[in-house]
Amino acid sequence: MRAFENTVRSELSWLLRAGVPPRGLRISVRELVVAHITHEPTGPRDVEDAVEAAVRAACRLVRELDAPDEIVEMVCRAALEAVRGHGGESARFLGGATSAASDVVDEMAREHAEEPIWSWLSRRLERW
């Protein structure tokens, strides 16, 4: 597990326990991703890694802490909004970031084929 993934997981876990509404979760994820890609050297792989880590953190919460499934989709959208809204160089990498998010959910769908939520999420992400 990477440091950023752990940071996102920890923050989301705390926010969920505190009962923060979905809007607050989305804002937090966006801010975490923007801060990460702002403070790190930003290339296509850096942006993809940040989005991938955020989505992996959400998937881990659903798997390990029985968090609501909607968290994954919300985190995907918030992370991609962060890339799109950040502007400048990183906004050019939105396609790769979208693929990275989709790849994580697809991986979960393959690993946990017995749980229909993952294939459902995977299909939803294909339409973005």
Side-chain angles (χ1 to χ4, degrees):
M1 172 180 28
R2 292 176 265 201
F4 184 62
E5 180 182 335
N6 194 40
T7 299
V8 173
R9 183 190 178 284
S10 177
E11 181 75 11
L12 286 173
S13 177
W14 182 85
L15 292 169
L16 286 169
R17 283 193 309 269
V20 172
R23 186 178 189 309
L25 293 170
R26 283 192 313 271
I27 290 169
S28 294
V29 170
R30 277 195 306 258
E31 289 300 316
L32 285 168
V33 172
V34 166
H36 187 73
I37 63 178
T38 300
H39 296 301
E40 297 291 320
T42 307
R45 189 65 207 154
D46 302 312
V47 172
E48 291 169 18
D49 286 347
V51 170
E52 180 182 320
V55 175
R56 269 192 202 289
C59 290
R60 286 182 51 218
L61 283 174
V62 169
R63 294 286 306 144
E64 296 171 3
L65 300 179
D66 202 29
D69 304 333
E70 298 84 31
I71 295 296
V72 176
E73 183 176 5
M74 182 179 47
V75 168
C76 285
R77 288 184 186 274
L80 294 173
E81 287 170 8
V83 172
R84 183 181 308 111
H86 183 252
E89 292 292 310
S90 62
R92 296 182 324 164
F93 311 132
L94 182 60
T98 302
S99 292
S102 183
D103 289 348
V104 172
V105 176
D106 288 346
E107 179 183 318
M108 291 300 288
R110 282 189 307 275
E111 290 177 6
H112 305 285
E114 73 282 357
E115 298 174 35
I117 185 62
W118 298 110
S119 60
W120 177 81
L121 275 170
S122 180
R123 286 190 307 274
R124 271 186 69 81
L125 284 178
E126 287 174 3
R127 290 183 276 175
W128 289 2

